[in-house]
Amino acid sequence: MHKNRFSFSLIMVGAFLSVLNQTLMSTALPAIMRAFHITTAQGQWLNNGYLLINALMIPTTAYLIKRYTTRQLYLTASLIFIVGSLIGATAQLYPVLIIGRMIQALGAGIIIPLVNVVVMTSTKPSERGAAMGIVGLALNLAPVLGPTVAGVILTHLSWQYLFGLTLPLMLVDIILAPKFLRNVGELHKQRLDRTGLLLSGFGLTLALYSFSNVGETAFWSLKGVVPLVAGVILLGLFVKCQWTKRYPLLNLHVFRYRQFNLPLIINMLLMVTMYGNAIIIPVLVQNVFHQSAFVSGLTLLPGSVCTAIISPLSGRFYDKYNFRRMVMIGLTIDMSGSLMLSATGSHASMAYVVAGQTIRQLGLVLVLIPIQTHAWSMLPLPMIPDGVAVYNTLRQVAASFGTALLVAIISLTSTSHIHWSMNSQLVGIKFSYLLSTGMVFVCWLLARQLKKSSKLDPVESD
């Protein structure tokens, strides 16, 4: 039992560091923009590029988990992640910095779904909520803790040190993994759907490129429309191919389970608001209120503490209480915080911003783990790796596109200015929070269709 726990702890450390890197650079974005003389639309690729590669790797991991052992995958992914970190830390050109981030994401895209599959396939259905609560402590704490940690580091050191932050822990982790990490599941020989990988890769990249250009050019321009149309066509072909392939990249048959689909849609909308917020808060605090990166990081700290305390509890609540009621309460709290931030004025106090952000995070953490556990528990056991792949892929896609969308909204409010003025930028931020509030309200409406009980048969479908 002790060895099992230590094995689980090893892979959890890797997952935490992987997710931490998704938002670690958000606080550093203003400094990096100044260092490389780039725009916000260009700078957002630090996060969007990372999230996009994550999204492309996650469905591939469904194949890799069936083809290679847990230990082989984890060690390979960790080494790839370390190589990306070293490239990013030594980059002198912005394109090289982006390449480093994308290589990091290659490794992270394997580690994140791997930990979910390990937990879901090695725990009893009645214990999954508690186990996923522990996973949520890592996967949901890391994104909100990243900007805080970055703010503290940037107060004394340059942004390059953010890439070196995770290296010592990751190195220790891979030294211990060969001896202590247990292999989970059975191996199967299966072909990799290379056609599906190419279609999804180019389709997502083109569509995201179109969204990312909105802040710099009109959406209806050739630079905006052509990549979007091409991306949508390629993604349509990808979906068509997946239904007919014997060994698809993503098993879309998981969509036959309605109680899987509802949590998935809710999660995607919440990812737009959560990862978009990781970009918006540093811009609000540093560019509008002219505070330091340290203060920007501290703004998110209370929300991080809430996540650390409540994530394990939310998983246990899923096992014990009315699942649907808990989700709707969490979404109501999230909406309240979003509305508070949408009312932020140019003379608002930092305490007001911290309060709004903390309330938002409190609501989110009550929702994310329960809906994720519920979605996967509604699938037959052999389909759980496929469900994890689909769920995490679309989660990352939503996070990437959501970040591009909310940053574009801020950019569009200041297209008539050579430099952003405080008022124009604040208007875009306020509108972004209103849009986030609307998305959470849609989630609340969808949550009313979720089943009340958490004690459901894993193979039940509507």
Side-chain angles (χ1 to χ4, degrees):
M1 185 66 179
H2 176 71
K3 289 183 178 180
N4 289 347
R5 289 181 178 178
F6 191 71
S7 175
F8 180 62
S9 298
L10 281 175
I11 199 169
M12 283 295 298
V13 169
F16 177 83
L17 296 175
S18 300
V19 181
L20 183 71
N21 270 271
Q22 291 181 355
T23 57
L24 197 61
M25 304 303 293
S26 298
T27 304
L29 182 57
I32 291 174
M33 287 168 58
R34 291 190 295 270
F36 290 102
H37 307 289
I38 57 174
T39 65
T40 305
Q42 293 170 325
Q44 68 176 306
W45 278 96
L46 278 173
N47 283 335
N48 279 350
Y50 191 97
L51 293 170
L52 179 63
I53 297 299
N54 262 182
L56 297 178
M57 281 305 300
I58 287 170
T60 310
T61 306
Y63 158 79
L64 295 174
I65 288 173
K66 298 173 183 176
R67 191 72 174 80
Y68 302 100
T69 67
T70 306
R71 192 180 297 121
Q72 287 173 330
L73 281 179
Y74 184 73
L75 288 172
T76 302
S78 298
L79 288 172
I80 292 172
F81 185 87
I82 288 172
V83 170
S85 299
L86 290 172
I87 292 174
T90 57
Q92 299 296 314
L93 299 172
Y94 186 63
V96 176
L97 179 62
I98 295 296
I99 290 171
R101 284 283 284 171
M102 289 183 170
I103 292 175
Q104 276 187 324
L106 283 174
I110 297 173
I111 294 172
I112 295 170
L114 185 61
V115 69
N116 287 321
V117 172
V118 167
V119 172
M120 290 297 293
T121 56
S122 60
T123 56
K124 298 177 182 178
S126 61
E127 298 174 349
R128 284 175 182 165
M132 290 308 299
I134 298 172
V135 175
L137 177 61
L139 302 189
N140 293 327
L141 173 63
V144 292
L145 189 61
T148 302
V149 173
V152 174
I153 291 174
L154 291 171
T155 303
H156 306 287
L157 302 168
S158 68
W159 58 265
Q160 285 91 342
Y161 285 88
L162 297 178
F163 284 93
L165 173 66
T166 57
L167 284 177
L169 285 174
M170 190 65 85
L171 285 170
V172 171
D173 212 35
I174 63 173
I175 290 171
L176 296 174
K179 183 176 181 180
F180 296 103
L181 185 60
R182 295 175 63 249
N183 293 319
V184 175
E186 298 180 0
L187 300 184
H188 304 278
K189 289 186 177 181
Q190 181 176 315
R191 295 179 181 176
L192 175 63
D193 179 13
R194 295 183 177 85
T195 302
L197 184 61
L198 289 173
L199 288 173
S200 62
F202 283 110
L204 287 172
T205 301
L206 288 169
L208 182 59
Y209 177 75
S210 174
F211 272 77
S212 300
N213 284 329
V214 173
E216 296 185 324
T217 186
F219 183 73
W220 51 87
S221 67
L222 289 178
K223 196 175 181 181
V225 172
V226 173
L228 179 62
V229 172
V232 169
I233 291 173
L234 290 176
L235 290 174
L237 291 172
F238 168 74
V239 171
K240 183 179 179 181
C241 288
Q242 297 308 288
W243 282 109
T244 57
K245 289 260 185 178
R246 182 180 179 185
Y247 298 111
L249 188 66
L250 283 178
N251 184 358
L252 301 184
H253 292 287
V254 295
F255 290 125
R256 292 177 176 175
Y257 296 81
R258 187 166 181 268
Q259 290 295 314
F260 172 83
N261 297 336
L262 288 171
L264 172 62
I265 296 170
I266 292 171
N267 183 268
M268 290 176 67
L269 291 172
L270 292 180
M271 286 303 101
V272 172
T273 67
M274 188 172 84
Y275 281 90
N277 183 68
I279 292 284
I280 294 172
I281 284 289
V283 173
L284 174 65
V285 175
Q286 295 181 50
N287 290 0
V288 176
F289 292 143
H290 304 293
Q291 299 291 330
S292 66
F294 178 69
V295 173
S296 174
L298 288 181
T299 303
L300 297 169
L301 183 58
S304 303
V305 173
C306 279
T307 303
I309 295 172
I310 298 174
S311 278
L313 296 177
S314 68
R316 294 184 182 275
F317 293 160
Y318 172 82
D319 290 329
K320 294 181 179 180
Y321 302 116
N322 186 312
F323 160 68
R324 185 173 70 185
R325 183 180 300 167
M326 182 172 64
V327 169
M328 294 183 73
I329 289 172
L331 291 171
T332 301
I333 295 171
D334 189 359
M335 273 191 288
S336 301
S338 299
L339 279 173
M340 279 185 64
L341 291 172
S342 70
T344 303
S346 57
H347 300 292
S349 67
M350 289 305 303
Y352 180 86
V353 177
V354 170
Q357 167 60 22
T358 304
I359 291 171
R360 284 195 74 197
Q361 194 60 35
L362 173 61
L364 275 172
V365 76
L366 286 173
V367 175
L368 292 177
I369 291 300
I371 62 170
Q372 176 177 280
T373 308
H374 182 80
W376 295 340
S377 295
M378 294 301 98
L379 298 174
L381 194 61
M383 292 184 71
I384 286 179
D386 300 300
V388 169
V390 170
Y391 194 95
N392 282 317
T393 297
L394 294 181
R395 167 191 170 111
Q396 296 300 89
V397 169
S400 187
F401 277 82
T403 300
L405 175 64
L406 295 181
V407 168
I409 288 171
I410 297 174
S411 299
L412 286 171
T413 62
S414 52
T415 52
S416 60
H417 299 267
I418 298 176
H419 299 290
W420 272 357
S421 70
M422 182 175 67
N423 289 336
S424 65
Q425 199 166 4
L426 182 58
V427 169
I429 290 170
K430 287 161 69 74
F431 187 79
S432 294
Y433 278 122
L434 278 175
L435 181 61
S436 295
T437 304
M439 291 181 183
V440 179
F441 179 66
V442 172
C443 292
W444 188 88
L445 294 175
L446 291 172
R448 297 179 64 187
Q449 302 176 50
L450 293 169
K451 292 188 174 181
K452 295 179 181 180
S453 175
S454 64
K455 305 200 182 294
L456 297 168
D457 189 298
V459 299
E460 180 181 355
S461 67
D462 291 344

